[in-house]
Amino acid sequence: MQSFPPPYCDADQVDGTLRAYGYAVLSPAAVAQWAGSPPAEMAALGSHWEGMPHDAYLKDGGRYRKRRHSCYVVHDGQVEAVAHRAHWQPVEYNALHGGMQRWFEPVEAASKNLPAWNHILQALGRTAQALFASDSAEPWYTEAHQFRIDTAEGIGRPTPEGAHRDGVDLVAVFLVAREGIKGGETRVFDAQGPQGLRFTLTEPWSLMLLDDARMIHESTPIQPLGEAAGHRDTLVVTLRRQAFQGDGV
């Protein structure tokens, strides 16, 4: 199975790359610099993907996805947690699971209290502000999802809804771990044209950032490398202006 390397950019090129191409991909070292979070802090956060509950809303009946979800408002460098709420998307953006109030278990306090968690959300707020906002600081309605896709049933599907947009402004996909699998190729497409790109994130805490209005994305299914089941862990964070999806704006 051929694997294409990610088109990494430097930390100081993130804003310009996003404006030019609609996406930016960072190596773990660049993520640490961009987020202001040393690699050891990121590694400490990566251990918090064990023991997550299964996603009970998969319409294909699979049990290959585990998930946690929490919401925040990021504003002017501050991160404020909001009351636990359902994840909701319209069917226009998620034809498979849209229109459903999906109540996932929240991210555990032990994860949210680690320095890297706050640093990541602050960095994403800065990037969203630089890319989309004027000089005045805007609040960013932020949803953070921990995912584990495993191959216990043979095949795991990171994006069972297929190629999609999320209905937000900025999407961040961090690869946290990749163990004993093949597949899981990332594919991004220009929403208004035929241009596309494919690559495979393999390094823990590498990152793909997307301007959601401009880009469509998906990840291909994963399979085990051998007899033992493997898994792919990601942290997906979305930021949106005005309100969370489902709040009438």
Side-chain angles (χ1 to χ4, degrees), residues 9-11 25-38 42 120 123 174 204-208:
C9 71
D10 294 334
V25 188
L26 284 72
S27 69
V31 168
Q33 182 181 350
W34 165 82
S37 189
M42 308 296 284
I120 285 170
F174 297 85
W205 292 108
S206 50
L207 164 65
M208 176 182 69

Side-chain angles (χ1 to χ4, degrees), residues 222-245:
I222 61 172
Q223 296 174 274
L225 277 175
E227 294 184 3
H231 63 266
R232 180 178 185 262
D233 295 346
T234 56
L235 171 63
V236 177
V237 186
T238 64
L239 293 88
R240 187 173 189 265
R241 284 172 286 191
Q242 297 185 304
F244 293 106
Q245 288 192 96

Side-chain angles (χ1 to χ4, degrees), residues 195-216:
Q195 293 81 14
L197 184 70
R198 50 191 289 209
F199 55 88
T200 303
L201 294 175
T202 59
E203 296 183 277
W205 292 108
S206 50
L207 164 65
M208 176 182 69
L209 294 165
L210 294 173
D211 180 338
D212 189 60
R214 294 174 58 186
M215 307 304 295
I216 296 170

Side-chain angles (χ1 to χ4, degrees), residues 29-246:
V31 168
Q33 182 181 350
W34 165 82
S37 189
E41 286 187 0
M42 308 296 284
L45 178 57
S47 67
H48 286 238
W49 265 250
E50 300 296 333
M52 292 200 300
H54 281 96
D55 183 336
Y57 296 93
L58 286 171
K59 286 190 174 181
D60 63 6
R63 287 179 60 80
Y64 53 81
R65 183 157 79 180
K66 298 177 181 178
R67 186 170 188 171
R68 290 186 182 275
H69 167 250
S70 288
C71 294
Y72 305 84
V73 175
V74 180
H75 184 208
D76 200 19
Q78 301 300 309
V79 177
E80 178 186 355
V82 302
H84 190 53
R85 53 182 289 128
H87 176 54
W88 186 89
Q89 293 174 290
V91 294
E92 289 83 2
Y93 291 108
N94 190 329
L96 186 61
H97 298 115
M100 302 169 61
Q101 293 260 334
R102 290 184 283 170
W103 287 92
F104 301 112
E105 290 296 315
V107 176
E108 293 183 314
S111 304
K112 294 187 288 188
N113 291 337
L114 290 174
W117 188 267
N118 203 56
H119 290 157
I120 285 170
L121 297 181
Q122 289 173 325
L124 287 168
R126 291 193 297 269
T127 295
Q129 184 71 23
L131 187 62
F132 299 110
S134 62
D135 293 338
S136 60
E138 288 197 49
W140 294 96
Y141 296 85
T142 302
E143 299 192 50
H145 306 257
Q146 290 177 289
F147 287 101
R148 169 165 286 186
I149 309 298
D150 68 40
T151 60
E153 296 179 337
I155 294 179
R157 295 177 175 83
T159 52
E161 65 271 38
H164 65 285
R165 290 166 53 211
D166 287 329
V168 297
D169 289 298
L170 184 67
V171 176
V173 181
F174 297 85
L175 179 73
V176 177
R178 181 185 169 97
E179 302 288 345
I181 62 167
K182 57 185 176 181
E185 181 180 78
T186 297
R187 298 178 178 177
V188 295
F189 311 92
D190 187 334
Q192 302 300 322
Q195 293 81 14
L197 184 70
R198 50 191 289 209
F199 55 88
T200 303
L201 294 175
T202 59
E203 296 183 277
W205 292 108
S206 50
L207 164 65
M208 176 182 69
L209 294 165
L210 294 173
D211 180 338
D212 189 60
R214 294 174 58 186
M215 307 304 295
I216 296 170
H217 66 282
E218 67 175 338
S219 295
T220 62
I222 61 172
Q223 296 174 274
L225 277 175
E227 294 184 3
H231 63 266
R232 180 178 185 262
D233 295 346
T234 56
L235 171 63
V236 177
V237 186
T238 64
L239 293 88
R240 187 173 189 265
R241 284 172 286 191
Q242 297 185 304
F244 293 106
Q245 288 192 96

